[in-house]
Amino acid sequence: MSTVVTGIGVVAPTGIGAAAHWEAVLAGKSGIARIDRFDASGYPVKHAGQVPGFSAKERVPGRLIPQTDHWTHLGLAAAADALADAALDPASVPEFEMAVVTSSSSGGTEFGQHEMERLYRNGPSWVGAYQSIAWFYAATTGQISIRHGMRGPCGVLACEQAGGLDVLGQARRLIRGGSRVVVSGGTDASLCPYGLVAQLSTGALSTVDDPARAYVPFDAEASGYLPGEGGAILILESAGGAAARGAEPYGVVAGYAAGFDPPPGSARPPVLRRTIERALADAGIGPSEVDVVFADAAGVPAADLIEARALVETFGPGSVPVTAPKTLTGRLYGGGAALDAATALLAMRAGVVPHTAGPERLAPGCDIDLVTRPRDADLRTALVLARGHGGFTAALVLRRP
């Protein structure tokens, strides 16, 4: 049973809506700017990808706004757009045959920060009751399922950047298990003092002050990455179910695999290459059938080299176009890989490999065909890669319908 994607909802630094996002990606229009959700002047990282022009009052039921975090507001908006894009009315599907599984890395950090401020300044009686649920990783899944009456299997995966692919693999599993519709993907929004400090602890964020050069994966001057907010929500169905209601799929979730890196200092190699091989095997294809790779592109020199070597070992030096449009948004954690998957689907439909903005000179050992200008191509198969802090690794194969 094939699983297809019939709807895409995007709420990202590159724009709100799939069309706006795709237009920005092709134009190389960056969503990276000075952080304005709080005063970041005293922090070593001052730039991030922020969703422009988003108004919760216009996109989220009023009673939910004070009960939920900004990250959940973004997820609710993206889910509504994805359902509209799929021309799917949840009321037309039995409630127990609709599932929701989303990715979250940070949870509701901004909401939690505000409640902690009230606690420290005024005492326990000032902490709102919704603190107990608004910060929780599953809050977005729960609110989407409640809003749209989806009472089938619901869950959340917290695998940092890799989670956006892991949930799509889980969605395919749910479709094969009998669910008719799965709302999947992810968003994240951890641009607050507490959230930014937590991210700084990894040592992977770039402190370069020039936003155009701060996040340049695979480049000789790569120095880490910039964070961002937002992501994408996708609607998945069985191919038969989509055809029965006349839906036109963006693509097929053809293969998926996940792995976990060994601990630092281990003699075992990173799992990325093997994860790629297992995803290709799951899709029933060989390396020569992959037309484009959407890279994880960590921007950390050692991590970039590991990824480049995995691609060379799998496909050969410079044998497949590699791209990372996420340089326009920053890494969106739980929302990042889902947005990459959405971008890959849009690329296959348009027949264009979007470019990687920023890198100028490949680092030694990165013997890949990094696409730095949009490139027309007949794209039938895309491989999307993601790695999360701590060792999470995932690979997803998407094919044109």
Side-chain angles (χ1 to χ4, degrees):
M1 176 189 296
S2 294
T3 298
V4 298
V5 176
T6 56
I8 296 175
V10 173
V11 181
T14 37
I16 299 173
H21 164 70
W22 180 242
E23 182 179 346
V25 166
L26 288 183
K29 182 180 178 182
S30 177
I32 302 293
R34 246 179 209 282
I35 296 171
D36 61 15
R37 291 192 65 80
F38 68 97
D39 181 5
S41 59
Y43 295 81
V45 175
K46 299 177 178 60
H47 294 88
Q50 298 169 104
V51 178
F54 180 80
S55 171
K57 292 181 179 180
E58 296 176 2
R59 303 301 307 273
V60 179
R63 65 178 180 82
L64 290 181
I65 294 175
Q67 300 176 10
T68 50
D69 184 78
H70 180 55
W71 139 75
T72 295
H73 301 163
L74 298 176
L76 284 166
D81 285 355
L83 287 166
D85 186 47
L88 180 64
D89 179 6
S92 68
V93 182
E95 58 187 359
F96 288 102
E97 296 181 14
M98 295 183 289
V100 183
V101 56
T102 67
S103 168
S104 174
S105 175
S106 305
T109 52
E110 187 177 58
F111 191 103
Q113 165 133 10
H114 293 328
E115 294 302 313
M116 286 189 290
E117 289 169 353
R118 294 187 181 99
L119 171 65
Y120 298 146
R121 291 173 180 173
N122 304 306
S125 63
W126 286 73
V127 178
Y130 294 109
Q131 164 66 4
S132 62
I133 56 173
W135 72 271
F136 189 47
Y137 300 106
T140 297
T141 288
Q143 294 296 346
I144 291 172
S145 66
I146 292 168
R147 186 179 185 189
H148 299 289
M150 299 172 170
R151 302 182 67 185
C154 290
V156 62
L157 295 178
C159 308
E160 219 247 22
Q161 187 88 8
L165 300 187
D166 291 330
V167 294
L168 298 177
Q170 173 67 0
R172 184 182 66 160
R173 186 177 296 115
L174 291 172
I175 292 293
R176 290 174 171 177
S179 295
R180 285 177 57 179
V181 174
V182 182
V183 178
S184 191
T187 56
D188 240 320
S190 194
L191 296 181
C192 61
Y194 164 52
L196 184 58
V197 169
Q199 295 171 61
L200 286 168
S201 68
T202 68
L205 268 62
S206 173
T207 57
V208 173
D209 199 45
D210 179 1
R213 294 296 296 163
Y215 180 25
V216 285
F218 304 111
D219 190 90
E221 296 181 2
S223 60
Y225 65 86
L226 292 176
E229 64 179 11
I233 297 291
L234 312 181
I235 306 301
L236 294 93
E237 308 177 61
S238 68
R245 65 180 193 85
E248 181 181 351
Y250 285 93
V252 180
V253 179
Y256 161 74
F260 203 86
D261 275 335
S266 171
R268 291 181 290 137
V271 299
L272 182 58
R273 180 181 61 81
R274 287 177 292 153
T275 304
I276 293 171
E277 291 172 348
R278 289 192 294 111
L280 297 180
D282 185 47
I285 64 172
S288 64
E289 295 175 78
V290 174
D291 300 308
V292 62
V293 175
F294 284 74
D296 173 64
V300 176
D304 286 348
L305 186 58
I306 288 170
E307 184 171 23
R309 285 174 174 169
L311 293 174
V312 168
E313 290 169 3
T314 303
F315 300 102
S319 297
V320 61
V322 178
T323 190
K326 61 170 65 72
T327 57
L328 301 174
T329 65
R331 287 174 73 84
L332 309 185
Y333 302 111
L339 183 61
D340 283 345
T343 307
L345 291 165
L346 295 169
M348 287 194 292
R349 175 170 283 191
V352 178
V353 179
H355 66 298
T356 307
E360 298 174 350
R361 181 167 58 92
L362 286 177
C366 292
D367 301 320
I368 58 174
D369 176 17
L370 186 65
V371 178
T372 55
R373 292 184 180 181
R375 184 184 301 178
D376 292 335
D378 181 19
L379 303 177
R380 298 177 182 272
T381 304
L383 173 67
V384 186
L385 304 178
R387 292 173 294 176
H389 178 67
F392 298 103
T393 304
L396 188 77
V397 178
L398 298 168
R399 305 206 75 175
R400 205 166 68 197

